Amino acid sequence: MKSYTEYLWFNTRKHREFINITDKVEEALQKSKIKEGFVLVSAMHITASVYVNDNEPGLIQDIEEWLQKLAPEGPTYNHHQTGETNGDAHLKNLLMHHQVIIPVTEARLDFGPWQQVFYGEFDGQRRKRVVLKIMGE
Amino acid sequence: MKSYTEYLWFNTRKHREFINITDKVEEALQKSKIKEGFVLVSAMHITASVYVNDNEPGLIQDIEEWLQKLAPEGPTYNHHQTGETNGDAHLKNLLMHHQVIIPVTEARLDFGPWQQVFYGEFDGQRRKRVVLKIMGE
Amino acid sequence: MKSYTEYLWFNTRKHREFINITDKVEEALQKSKIKEGFVLVSAMHITASVYVNDNEPGLIQDIEEWLQKLAPEGPTYNHHQTGETNGDAHLKNLLMHHQVIIPVTEARLDFGPWQQVFYGEFDGQRRKRVVLKIMGE
């Protein structure tokens, strides 16, 4: 069994941002030399998400508007009594989930035709990390 | 370490449908001969879900009504400017998540008493796939 | 490849409760002697969640209020025709997801600075289980 670990760093220009990281995950897979296994792609922060969906700008705008509706920025959350202002970003993280597992088959990400993996930042403009961990043979 | 890969195909009669795939996952596990490990069950499309819950028709109806409330079909999503009409199905996929990992212990799916694994279709009546990938020994 | 399996039992005093289980997961990891791999932490019930977020009491209160808003207790769900009264707890499980994978690097949970793993109970006051399954080398 082989394993390979790599960290991706982000420091977004905007407070919220959606970044297609499929190419970076594919590069890590090639470096790992693993042909059959799992790639875990997992945000190391509790105000960001890793998710799989379509790379279509209109849809990305829909996702942002939907998140604002279901986990709105603005209300005074109990969490804000600590001095924090990012209660909404914690809830957005829970809604979108912070990780995915991508299967690896014959040395490739075993994705369907439209699947792309994204980093979703909900409280950006600071340095944050995603861990890639690949296990297999 | 062993690995085993299988694809399940679906072509639902209804636009939305919930299909219990527990038996198919168990069959794949038996074919794999793996006794300790993980089964990844992952939708290869961005308008479908794989989830674990109860096989009770009333609850399945509750899930569908709840999804229509939180990610409604009908509104004109930005995504529809591409000609697509399935913006709601993308959001339903994000809400329900597209994959689960089932632990394998002593050659069986290590589920609690009521856990069953489902394929949730949100934009059906076309051929779609789920990948099963089993890793272990 | 090594694997290690352990079950955590819960019997909460309150109907809903959020329990930090990070220490218990770390103890299991030490017992497993696994240095590189994955820890699956997965609820064995369909009315409970396992999630990663911040150990801050105000935020935990926000999560509970948010869940009550998006998947409210009270309405008569179709599921209740079976005699059950916990339809909301099934939907809360779907919203929060029932499992996480924690990467293991150099014999430690490879978490960011604020990440902690929680058991979220939505229909408690009875005995329930979480499975920990660690795979790696």
Side-chain angles (χ1 to χ4, degrees):
Chain A
M1 205 202 69
K2 283 193 240 183
S3 71
Y4 176 86
T5 309
E6 188 176 315
Y7 302 91
L8 305 179
W9 286 93
F10 300 90
N11 193 342
T12 60
R13 297 183 62 179
K14 291 195 287 179
H15 185 54
R16 273 190 296 279
E17 214 166 306
F18 297 85
I19 300 167
N20 187 341
I21 59 173
T22 313
D23 288 351
K24 290 191 187 297
V25 177
E26 277 174 351
E27 283 167 29
L29 177 58
Q30 287 179 20
K31 283 185 251 172
S32 77
K33 313 278 190 203
I34 287 170
K35 294 199 171 72
E36 295 292 324
F38 293 143
V39 184
L40 173 68
V41 188
S42 191
M44 299 182 77
H45 297 265
I46 51 193
T47 52
S49 172
V50 171
Y51 70 94
V52 168
N53 214 296
D54 196 358
N55 188 22
E56 197 282 295
L59 179 69
I60 289 170
Q61 201 182 326
D62 289 327
I63 293 170
E64 184 168 359
E65 291 172 10
W66 180 67
L67 288 171
Q68 286 293 87
K69 204 168 129 201
L70 294 191
E73 200 179 359
T76 300
Y77 290 101
N78 298 300
H79 183 49
H80 295 178
Q81 291 167 23
T82 62
E84 290 286 352
T85 58
N86 60 2
D88 71 299
H90 287 272
L91 301 181
K92 288 177 170 91
N93 155 289
L94 293 171
L95 185 54
M96 292 283 283
H97 220 55
H98 74 290
Q99 60 185 191
V100 297
I101 295 266
I102 307 168
V104 176
T105 305
E106 296 175 3
R108 299 187 57 190
L109 301 179
D110 200 347
F111 266 157
W114 302 101
Q115 287 184 306
Q116 301 273 298
V117 55
F118 284 83
Y119 175 69
E121 175 64 82
F122 308 132
D123 186 24
Q125 298 166 315
R126 63 189 79 185
R127 273 166 65 75
K128 292 170 91 166
R129 269 198 304 173
V130 163
V131 54
L132 306 181
K133 185 128 204 155
I134 312 176
M135 302 277 298
E137 59 182 6
Chain B
M1 204 201 70
K2 283 193 240 182
S3 72
Y4 176 86
T5 308
E6 188 175 315
Y7 302 91
L8 305 180
W9 286 94
F10 300 90
N11 193 342
T12 61
R13 297 183 63 178
K14 290 195 288 178
H15 185 54
R16 274 190 295 280
E17 215 167 305
F18 297 85
I19 300 167
N20 188 340
I21 59 173
T22 312
D23 288 351
K24 290 190 186 299
V25 177
E26 277 175 350
E27 282 167 31
L29 177 59
Q30 286 178 21
K31 283 185 251 170
S32 78
K33 313 278 190 203
I34 287 170
K35 293 197 171 72
E36 295 292 323
F38 293 143
V39 184
L40 173 69
V41 188
S42 192
M44 299 183 77
H45 297 265
I46 51 192
T47 52
S49 171
V50 171
Y51 71 94
V52 168
N53 215 296
D54 197 358
N55 188 21
E56 197 282 295
L59 180 68
I60 289 170
Q61 200 183 327
D62 289 326
I63 293 171
E64 184 168 358
E65 292 172 9
W66 179 67
L67 287 171
Q68 285 294 87
K69 203 169 129 202
L70 293 192
E73 200 179 359
T76 301
Y77 291 101
N78 297 299
H79 183 50
H80 296 178
Q81 291 169 22
T82 62
E84 290 285 353
T85 57
N86 60 2
D88 71 298
H90 288 272
L91 300 182
K92 288 177 170 92
N93 156 289
L94 293 171
L95 185 54
M96 292 283 283
H97 219 56
H98 74 290
Q99 61 185 190
V100 297
I101 294 266
I102 306 168
V104 176
T105 304
E106 295 174 4
R108 299 187 56 190
L109 301 179
D110 200 347
F111 267 157
W114 302 100
Q115 289 184 304
Q116 300 273 299
V117 55
F118 284 84
Y119 175 70
E121 175 64 82
F122 308 132
D123 186 24
Q125 298 166 315
R126 62 189 80 185
R127 273 166 65 78
K128 293 169 90 166
R129 268 199 304 173
V130 162
V131 54
L132 306 181
K133 185 130 204 156
I134 312 176
M135 303 278 296
E137 60 182 5
Chain C
M1 205 201 68
K2 283 192 240 183
S3 71
Y4 176 86
T5 309
E6 189 176 315
Y7 302 91
L8 305 179
W9 286 94
F10 300 90
N11 193 342
T12 61
R13 298 182 63 179
K14 290 194 289 179
H15 185 54
R16 275 190 294 280
E17 214 167 306
F18 297 84
I19 300 167
N20 188 340
I21 58 173
T22 313
D23 288 351
K24 290 190 186 299
V25 177
E26 277 174 352
E27 282 167 30
L29 177 59
Q30 287 178 21
K31 283 185 252 172
S32 78
K33 313 280 189 203
I34 287 171
K35 293 198 170 73
E36 296 292 323
F38 293 142
V39 184
L40 173 68
V41 189
S42 191
M44 298 182 79
H45 298 265
I46 51 193
T47 52
S49 171
V50 171
Y51 71 93
V52 168
N53 215 295
D54 197 358
N55 188 21
E56 197 281 296
L59 180 69
I60 290 171
Q61 201 182 328
D62 290 326
I63 293 170
E64 185 167 359
E65 291 171 10
W66 180 68
L67 287 170
Q68 285 293 86
K69 203 169 130 201
L70 294 191
E73 200 179 359
T76 300
Y77 291 101
N78 296 299
H79 183 49
H80 296 179
Q81 291 168 23
T82 62
E84 291 285 353
T85 57
N86 60 3
D88 70 297
H90 288 272
L91 301 182
K92 288 177 170 93
N93 156 289
L94 293 171
L95 185 55
M96 292 283 283
H97 220 56
H98 74 289
Q99 60 184 191
V100 297
I101 294 267
I102 307 169
V104 177
T105 306
E106 296 175 3
R108 299 187 56 190
L109 301 178
D110 200 347
F111 266 158
W114 301 102
Q115 287 184 306
Q116 301 273 298
V117 57
F118 283 84
Y119 175 71
E121 175 64 81
F122 308 132
D123 186 24
Q125 299 166 315
R126 62 189 80 183
R127 274 165 65 76
K128 292 169 91 166
R129 269 198 303 173
V130 162
V131 55
L132 305 181
K133 185 127 204 158
I134 312 177
M135 302 277 298
E137 61 183 5

